[in-house]
Amino acid sequence: MTLMEHIRELRDRLFKACLGILLGLCIGLYFSKPVERFLTDPYCERFTAGCSFNAATPLEPTIVRLKIALYLGLIIASPIWLYQLWAFIAPGLHSRERKWAYGFIAFAVPLFCAGAVLAHFVIAKGIQFLLPVDGDYQLTTNIAGYIDFVTGMLLIFGVGFEFPLIVFMLNLAGVASAKRLLGWWRAAVFLTFAFTAIVTPTPDPFGMTALGACMTALYFAAVGAAFLNERRRARAAAKVYAGLSDDEASEIENVIDPVETSGPVRKSGPVETSGPVRKSGPVEPSEAPRPTREEDL
């Protein structure tokens, strides 16, 4: 395919993906109100007399509803736009790389959902720790700021749970061995808790500790999976070269790619006859070379 054909295909894929997201947005508008109540439950459960939110502008509640509907639309239409993305990338990948991509998606989605569930639990515990219910305080929370806070926590925890999967993919690709990954555990734990301390928006220790502890446990789980993967590779290599000595050469795989049949050979036209050969004239005698040395004189 030429460059312009790739650009046209990308345009068509993006157009279909946007149509899928627009359809998901329309469906998400119907479920935006129940989802909004689900997101505000951790805040409202803190107050027995009921809770209320304020809005800075008259359009802010509508904008919040559209934002929630857009998030739902991305989730609902994910099979459509993920397929369009995969259909554009897959022709340039080898069969082994496609298997890695299938495995990455199969584990990435459950890990992201697990991180989102943990984030919802941390938000509930963090609000109970941060918000006072006694004293002369009158809390007026902005609805847009609260929704941004909750969705940011869900996204951060979901992305954080993908870190161990990336570590295992490095071992699967042969970039880092399992022993090397295990030797990096001190730096990995330090960087994990530093990352959680920076990205966690709540100042309480619960969110940072919960995300850091789960990411650390998943890191060691990824290292264990890397050891199992290397053991599997060693057993497979032992089966292939079990009957060979150290000095014996292994057989070369002679795989011949099939040759496509060509089309019929086009019949050539008659060969044109050339004209008569012109008779050449007499050859002129060349001049005798002049002597240059005394011996030739």
mmCIF file of all heavy atoms in Angstrom, residues 7-23:
data_model
loop_
_atom_site.group_PDB
_atom_site.id
_atom_site.type_symbol
_atom_site.label_atom_id
_atom_site.label_comp_id
_atom_site.label_asym_id
_atom_site.label_seq_id
_atom_site.Cartn_x
_atom_site.Cartn_y
_atom_site.Cartn_z
ATOM 1 N N ILE A 7 -3.157 6.547 4.514
ATOM 2 C CA ILE A 7 -3.846 7.713 5.094
ATOM 3 C C ILE A 7 -5.347 7.598 4.889
ATOM 4 O O ILE A 7 -6.145 7.900 5.787
ATOM 5 C CB ILE A 7 -3.283 9.010 4.475
ATOM 6 C CG1 ILE A 7 -1.819 9.191 4.885
ATOM 7 C CG2 ILE A 7 -4.124 10.204 4.909
ATOM 8 C CD1 ILE A 7 -1.155 10.387 4.247
ATOM 9 N N ARG A 8 -5.768 7.127 3.722
ATOM 10 C CA ARG A 8 -7.210 6.956 3.483
ATOM 11 C C ARG A 8 -7.793 5.875 4.392
ATOM 12 O O ARG A 8 -8.901 6.024 4.913
ATOM 13 C CB ARG A 8 -7.445 6.600 2.020
ATOM 14 C CG ARG A 8 -7.130 7.732 1.040
ATOM 15 C CD ARG A 8 -7.643 7.388 -0.353
ATOM 16 N NE ARG A 8 -7.178 8.353 -1.337
ATOM 17 C CZ ARG A 8 -6.134 8.164 -2.133
ATOM 18 N NH1 ARG A 8 -5.433 7.020 -2.045
ATOM 19 N NH2 ARG A 8 -5.774 9.080 -3.005
ATOM 20 N N GLU A 9 -7.040 4.795 4.573
ATOM 21 C CA GLU A 9 -7.532 3.745 5.475
ATOM 22 C C GLU A 9 -7.623 4.253 6.910
ATOM 23 O O GLU A 9 -8.588 3.955 7.629
ATOM 24 C CB GLU A 9 -6.604 2.531 5.417
ATOM 25 C CG GLU A 9 -7.104 1.366 6.260
ATOM 26 C CD GLU A 9 -6.134 0.208 6.276
ATOM 27 O OE1 GLU A 9 -5.064 0.326 5.664
ATOM 28 O OE2 GLU A 9 -6.446 -0.815 6.924
ATOM 29 N N LEU A 10 -6.633 5.029 7.350
ATOM 30 C CA LEU A 10 -6.683 5.609 8.686
ATOM 31 C C LEU A 10 -7.880 6.535 8.840
ATOM 32 O O LEU A 10 -8.554 6.533 9.882
ATOM 33 C CB LEU A 10 -5.385 6.364 8.967
ATOM 34 C CG LEU A 10 -5.282 7.068 10.321
ATOM 35 C CD1 LEU A 10 -5.374 6.064 11.458
ATOM 36 C CD2 LEU A 10 -3.990 7.863 10.414
ATOM 37 N N ARG A 11 -8.163 7.312 7.818
ATOM 38 C CA ARG A 11 -9.334 8.197 7.869
ATOM 39 C C ARG A 11 -10.612 7.400 7.997
ATOM 40 O O ARG A 11 -11.494 7.735 8.809
ATOM 41 C CB ARG A 11 -9.367 9.056 6.602
ATOM 42 C CG ARG A 11 -10.541 10.006 6.498
ATOM 43 C CD ARG A 11 -10.699 10.502 5.092
ATOM 44 N NE ARG A 11 -10.953 9.393 4.177
ATOM 45 C CZ ARG A 11 -10.986 9.511 2.840
ATOM 46 N NH1 ARG A 11 -10.739 10.683 2.289
ATOM 47 N NH2 ARG A 11 -11.239 8.462 2.083
ATOM 48 N N ASP A 12 -10.753 6.321 7.227
ATOM 49 C CA ASP A 12 -11.958 5.500 7.307
ATOM 50 C C ASP A 12 -12.088 4.824 8.676
ATOM 51 O O ASP A 12 -13.190 4.756 9.234
ATOM 52 C CB ASP A 12 -11.938 4.443 6.196
ATOM 53 C CG ASP A 12 -11.976 5.070 4.806
ATOM 54 O OD1 ASP A 12 -12.429 6.222 4.702
ATOM 55 O OD2 ASP A 12 -11.535 4.405 3.843
ATOM 56 N N ARG A 13 -10.967 4.330 9.217
ATOM 57 C CA ARG A 13 -11.006 3.686 10.532
ATOM 58 C C ARG A 13 -11.398 4.682 11.621
ATOM 59 O O ARG A 13 -12.191 4.363 12.516
ATOM 60 C CB ARG A 13 -9.650 3.068 10.855
ATOM 61 C CG ARG A 13 -9.189 1.990 9.889
ATOM 62 C CD ARG A 13 -10.040 0.748 9.987
ATOM 63 N NE ARG A 13 -9.558 -0.299 9.095
ATOM 64 C CZ ARG A 13 -10.183 -1.445 8.891
ATOM 65 N NH1 ARG A 13 -11.323 -1.700 9.512
ATOM 66 N NH2 ARG A 13 -9.693 -2.352 8.065
ATOM 67 N N LEU A 14 -10.838 5.884 11.561
ATOM 68 C CA LEU A 14 -11.181 6.900 12.555
ATOM 69 C C LEU A 14 -12.645 7.318 12.443
ATOM 70 O O LEU A 14 -13.310 7.559 13.467
ATOM 71 C CB LEU A 14 -10.272 8.122 12.386
ATOM 72 C CG LEU A 14 -8.804 7.942 12.800
ATOM 73 C CD1 LEU A 14 -8.015 9.200 12.477
ATOM 74 C CD2 LEU A 14 -8.697 7.618 14.271
ATOM 75 N N PHE A 15 -13.157 7.397 11.235
ATOM 76 C CA PHE A 15 -14.555 7.773 11.053
ATOM 77 C C PHE A 15 -15.488 6.718 11.642
ATOM 78 O O PHE A 15 -16.462 7.043 12.334
ATOM 79 C CB PHE A 15 -14.840 7.967 9.560
ATOM 80 C CG PHE A 15 -16.265 8.344 9.261
ATOM 81 C CD1 PHE A 15 -16.738 9.612 9.545
ATOM 82 C CD2 PHE A 15 -17.137 7.426 8.686
ATOM 83 C CE1 PHE A 15 -18.052 9.959 9.275
ATOM 84 C CE2 PHE A 15 -18.444 7.753 8.414
ATOM 85 C CZ PHE A 15 -18.910 9.033 8.699
ATOM 86 N N LYS A 16 -15.175 5.445 11.405
ATOM 87 C CA LYS A 16 -16.002 4.377 11.968
ATOM 88 C C LYS A 16 -15.898 4.335 13.492
ATOM 89 O O LYS A 16 -16.887 4.089 14.187
ATOM 90 C CB LYS A 16 -15.583 3.033 11.366
ATOM 91 C CG LYS A 16 -15.868 2.914 9.879
ATOM 92 C CD LYS A 16 -15.349 1.597 9.319
ATOM 93 C CE LYS A 16 -15.582 1.499 7.822
ATOM 94 N NZ LYS A 16 -15.045 0.234 7.247
ATOM 95 N N ALA A 17 -14.691 4.581 14.013
ATOM 96 C CA ALA A 17 -14.526 4.602 15.467
ATOM 97 C C ALA A 17 -15.307 5.750 16.095
ATOM 98 O O ALA A 17 -15.934 5.591 17.154
ATOM 99 C CB ALA A 17 -13.046 4.711 15.817
ATOM 100 N N CYS A 18 -15.302 6.916 15.459
ATOM 101 C CA CYS A 18 -16.056 8.058 15.982
ATOM 102 C C CYS A 18 -17.557 7.795 15.934
ATOM 103 O O CYS A 18 -18.294 8.202 16.850
ATOM 104 C CB CYS A 18 -15.710 9.312 15.195
ATOM 105 S SG CYS A 18 -14.023 9.905 15.456
ATOM 106 N N LEU A 19 -18.030 7.118 14.886
ATOM 107 C CA LEU A 19 -19.448 6.763 14.833
ATOM 108 C C LEU A 19 -19.816 5.817 15.965
ATOM 109 O O LEU A 19 -20.887 5.948 16.581
ATOM 110 C CB LEU A 19 -19.777 6.123 13.479
ATOM 111 C CG LEU A 19 -19.842 7.050 12.265
ATOM 112 C CD1 LEU A 19 -20.187 6.250 11.007
ATOM 113 C CD2 LEU A 19 -20.859 8.159 12.486
ATOM 114 N N GLY A 20 -18.928 4.852 16.262
ATOM 115 C CA GLY A 20 -19.188 3.950 17.375
ATOM 116 C C GLY A 20 -19.222 4.672 18.710
ATOM 117 O O GLY A 20 -20.079 4.402 19.566
ATOM 118 N N ILE A 21 -18.297 5.628 18.893
ATOM 119 C CA ILE A 21 -18.279 6.390 20.140
ATOM 120 C C ILE A 21 -19.518 7.270 20.258
ATOM 121 O O ILE A 21 -20.096 7.431 21.347
ATOM 122 C CB ILE A 21 -16.990 7.223 20.231
ATOM 123 C CG1 ILE A 21 -15.776 6.303 20.321
ATOM 124 C CG2 ILE A 21 -17.024 8.179 21.415
ATOM 125 C CD1 ILE A 21 -14.444 7.025 20.263
ATOM 126 N N LEU A 22 -19.965 7.852 19.144
ATOM 127 C CA LEU A 22 -21.184 8.665 19.159
ATOM 128 C C LEU A 22 -22.403 7.819 19.528
ATOM 129 O O LEU A 22 -23.268 8.261 20.299
ATOM 130 C CB LEU A 22 -21.375 9.321 17.788
ATOM 131 C CG LEU A 22 -22.575 10.255 17.646
ATOM 132 C CD1 LEU A 22 -22.457 11.419 18.624
ATOM 133 C CD2 LEU A 22 -22.686 10.766 16.216
ATOM 134 N N LEU A 23 -22.466 6.605 19.000
ATOM 135 C CA LEU A 23 -23.559 5.707 19.376
ATOM 136 C C LEU A 23 -23.483 5.342 20.854
ATOM 137 O O LEU A 23 -24.507 5.303 21.557
ATOM 138 C CB LEU A 23 -23.496 4.444 18.506
ATOM 139 C CG LEU A 23 -24.557 3.364 18.774
ATOM 140 C CD1 LEU A 23 -25.954 3.919 18.524
ATOM 141 C CD2 LEU A 23 -24.299 2.138 17.905
#
